[in-house]
Amino acid sequence: MPEPIGFAIKTLVRASLLACLLALPSVGAAQLQENDQLGAFRLAAATPLGRTGNLADPGPYFGFEHYWHVRRDIGVGAMIGYHGFREKPINFGSRGKGSGTIQVFTMAPVVRYNFTPGYELVPFIAGGPALNRIRLRSAFANGNIPEEDESFWRLGIVGSAGFDYFFEQNWTLGLEISGQTLASDLASFTAGIRIGYKFTSFGLGGFGL
């Protein structure tokens, strides 16, 4: 197992155990009800995988999710996300050293399952099909015009697991890990934090700070 992925999984497990201890004094407080909406902002580190991913370094991931709970334990909604990878430098001889960026914008309908919707600590899994807009841009270190700049669409799949902890009646803080196929030779593994807000009626959506 790649070292960043192993570290992320161990961190999630340890944080889950700590969150369980924090939640013990208030176990039983119903947090998610039918028709509740939950929006969350994600900030994570992304590790590129696959043939193309092996040519890039880890980068940031920013995401936003919004769920409407058709049942206390099941939410349906959508997510958008952004991956930003930088390619590892490659020496092209007389043309100089080349490098570039891989940018991915994702939109996906998702379904979420909450294991303990009636508690302040809510572990969950989520997933769905994804539509990815990928931009590959390469350039030389000496400032030449980019050798390649292309964009294209690809279908993929996204799946995640994590937990939300209700530290206040409507606000949540948690951790989440996810895996996503971006193209036939490119995938990503992300691990990071999430902060969310619960709406008890229809509104404009969740937001994070």
Side-chain angles (χ1 to χ4, degrees):
M1 178 181 296
E3 184 176 347
I5 298 178
F7 175 77
I9 293 176
K10 291 178 182 178
T11 301
L12 179 65
V13 172
R14 292 168 181 167
S16 298
L17 293 175
L18 177 60
C20 286
L21 294 176
L22 294 174
L24 285 177
S26 54
V27 161
Q31 294 302 320
L32 287 172
Q33 302 291 340
E34 185 175 330
N35 291 324
D36 278 355
Q37 294 185 73
L38 180 65
F41 174 76
R42 286 185 61 199
L43 175 61
T47 300
L49 305 171
R51 183 172 61 86
T52 298
N54 292 335
L55 303 177
D57 291 320
Y61 172 86
F62 306 95
F64 176 80
E65 306 165 7
H66 189 153
Y67 297 96
W68 170 52
H69 284 82
V70 295
R71 294 185 352 188
R72 292 178 61 192
D73 56 345
I74 297 179
V76 295
M79 62 84 68
I80 57 175
Y82 170 82
H83 292 82
F85 301 123
R86 180 168 294 279
E87 294 179 338
K88 298 175 181 177
I90 301 175
N91 195 336
F92 290 95
S94 61
R95 292 194 298 169
K97 182 175 291 186
S99 64
T101 58
I102 303 174
Q103 299 174 321
V104 184
F105 178 76
T106 298
M107 300 171 288
V110 284
V111 177
R112 163 174 161 147
Y113 179 78
N114 303 306
F115 290 96
T116 56
Y119 294 79
E120 292 194 354
L121 179 68
V122 185
F124 66 87
I125 55 175
L131 180 62
N132 305 304
R133 178 68 171 178
I134 302 174
R135 183 187 184 192
L136 303 176
R137 186 176 187 274
S138 60
F140 296 108
N142 59 12
N144 287 346
I145 297 175
E147 176 76 7
E148 178 181 318
D149 190 349
E150 62 174 322
S151 298
F152 49 89
W153 294 93
R154 289 292 184 271
L155 292 175
I157 298 175
V158 60
S160 65
F163 68 84
D164 285 318
Y165 175 68
F166 282 86
F167 64 90
E168 197 271 338
Q169 182 177 0
N170 293 321
W171 287 95
T172 70
L173 184 65
L175 295 178
E176 184 174 358
I177 59 175
S178 66
Q180 182 177 344
T181 57
L182 305 174
S184 59
D185 59 352
L186 177 63
S188 73
F189 175 84
T190 64
I193 62 172
R194 50 184 286 122
I195 183 168
Y197 187 82
K198 181 187 73 173
F199 290 84
T200 55
S201 60
F202 282 97
L204 296 178
F207 62 95
L209 300 176

